[in-house]
Amino acid sequence: MTYKGIKWLILTIPTLTIGIWEYVRHEFLLPYISMELGNWLAPVMVLLVSLLFLTQLFRMIEQSQAELNRAKSVQAALEEREKLARELHDGIAQSLFFLNAQMGRMETMKLTEVPSWQKLKESVHRTNDYVRQAIANLRHAPSMNAIPWLQSVDSLMNELRRETDLRFDTAWSIPEQGLTSKEKVELLAILREALLNIHKHARAAQVQIKAIPTDTGWRCGITDDGKGFLPEDVEKAGRYGLKMMRDRARAMAWQLDIRSCPGKTAVVIQKGGDGHKKVPSDGH
């Protein structure tokens, strides 16, 4: 019902109630009740009808107002996200672009003999990826049906779908209240790092993300069908992604299990229980 319809009902219901009551009283009830009693019953009838109908209408108005306030809050948040995205793009992202360009020139000039050059290059590329993804996250309107804190992962998967042929299969059954605010931040960072590593290095076609509650906490697994790797070799090569994931898990007292072979790599993050259980996946 529209706001205009509710307004007219509020205005007309008391009048209609009095009119109908007076008609019934004079046509059918006059031999049974006195004029004085009928006059006293008139406001009672109006009160009863008002309580029956108008309270429902007022509740509808309150709900409409609450929805309007929520819509205004969402719009304000989206405008702020767009503003932040623009500032990131105009500031940090452009600075990183120029830094990348300068590093490219140094490569062409054979000025890359510094021992820490490769680490610096990877650090700049990683930061550029993070900033680019942050801009994409801010410019993606959040889905009202999705888990709010997972919007960043959803946006990253959408961007990877556009840039590659990666297919994602997700099944998330950990309830929102099953994680603290700190746990959400740390688990999200590990998920993002795992997905970026798959994108950059795995040459995978299929990625599975499955998270389930357990008796003692929860378990989250990320698997891919890529070329695989030896974790010790990757860490020796100076890539900090796995180290960052391990450090975050250790700081939260989580168990992190990484297993890899050609055709399947599995990363399992678990809170509580046995950290060496199989990755929660379907058919793997």
Side-chain angles (χ1 to χ4, degrees):
M1 184 179 294
T2 64
Y3 176 77
K4 186 176 181 180
I6 294 174
K7 180 179 69 175
W8 280 108
L9 282 175
I10 292 173
L11 292 174
T12 56
I13 282 177
T15 303
L16 290 173
T17 302
I18 285 292
I20 293 172
W21 166 250
E22 290 298 325
Y23 173 79
V24 171
R25 181 164 70 114
H26 285 87
E27 289 293 327
F28 305 104
L29 302 178
L30 200 57
Y32 306 104
I33 61 174
S34 65
M35 184 66 68
E36 184 178 358
L37 178 59
N39 291 338
W40 278 105
L41 287 175
V44 173
M45 295 298 297
V46 172
L47 177 61
L48 291 175
V49 172
S50 298
L51 290 174
L52 181 62
F53 292 104
L54 294 186
T55 52
Q56 298 296 324
L57 295 177
F58 286 132
R59 188 175 294 113
M60 292 174 65
I61 292 176
E62 291 171 357
Q63 291 175 350
S64 298
Q65 185 63 41
E67 291 175 0
L68 179 61
N69 290 337
R70 282 195 296 270
K72 288 181 178 179
S73 298
V74 170
Q75 181 62 31
L78 291 177
E79 290 176 357
E80 185 64 23
R81 287 160 64 97
E82 179 63 28
K83 178 182 176 182
L84 288 172
R86 188 164 54 250
E87 291 175 352
L88 278 172
H89 180 268
D90 294 343
I92 300 175
Q94 289 188 359
S95 297
L96 285 170
F97 173 78
F98 289 126
L99 182 57
N100 268 320
Q102 291 175 353
M103 293 178 70
R105 291 180 58 189
M106 293 176 68
E107 285 184 322
T108 60
M109 296 171 65
K110 310 297 183 181
L111 300 177
T112 60
E113 302 302 325
V114 181
S116 60
W117 168 261
Q118 188 61 31
K119 294 181 180 179
L120 174 62
K121 181 180 178 181
E122 289 184 2
S123 178
V124 171
H125 287 174
R126 184 180 300 278
T127 304
N128 185 57
D129 286 340
Y130 285 155
V131 171
R132 186 164 56 90
Q133 182 56 35
I135 294 172
N137 293 342
L138 288 169
R139 285 181 170 165
H140 271 83
S143 168
M144 299 303 291
N145 297 321
I147 301 174
W149 71 275
L150 285 176
Q151 286 295 322
S152 177
V153 173
D154 291 337
S155 298
L156 177 56
M157 288 191 294
N158 288 333
E159 184 171 347
L160 294 180
R161 286 190 186 98
R162 289 193 299 270
E163 294 183 357
T164 68
D165 295 327
L166 272 176
R167 300 186 304 276
F168 293 92
D169 179 18
T170 60
W172 193 278
S173 56
I174 302 175
E176 179 83 5
Q177 63 274 16
L179 297 131
T180 66
S181 298
K182 176 66 173 175
E183 288 176 335
K184 291 175 182 177
V185 171
E186 298 300 328
L187 181 57
L188 181 61
I190 294 175
L191 283 170
R192 285 171 50 81
E193 183 62 38
L195 291 178
L196 286 173
N197 284 340
I198 292 170
H199 166 55
K200 292 177 181 178
H201 310 296
R203 299 178 186 172
Q206 180 79 29
V207 178
Q208 286 188 334
I209 301 175
K210 188 170 183 179
I212 59 174
T214 64
D215 293 338
T216 56
W218 47 262
R219 187 164 69 252
C220 177
I222 308 103
T223 63
D224 70 79
D225 60 355
K227 65 180 182 178
F229 63 91
L230 293 175
E232 56 270 23
D233 290 345
V234 171
E235 291 176 357
K236 287 179 182 178
R239 295 177 185 167
Y240 294 100
L242 293 183
K243 182 178 184 302
M244 183 274 289
M245 294 163 66
R246 295 188 192 279
D247 289 345
R248 287 183 180 273
R250 188 180 303 112
M252 297 299 296
W254 295 340
Q255 295 156 330
L256 179 68
D257 186 20
I258 301 175
R259 301 180 184 182
S260 183
C261 63
K264 181 177 179 181
T265 296
V267 177
V268 181
I269 314 105
Q270 179 162 316
K271 177 184 178 181
D274 182 7
H276 298 286
K277 292 181 179 180
K278 289 184 178 180
V279 180
S281 61
D282 299 323
H284 287 259

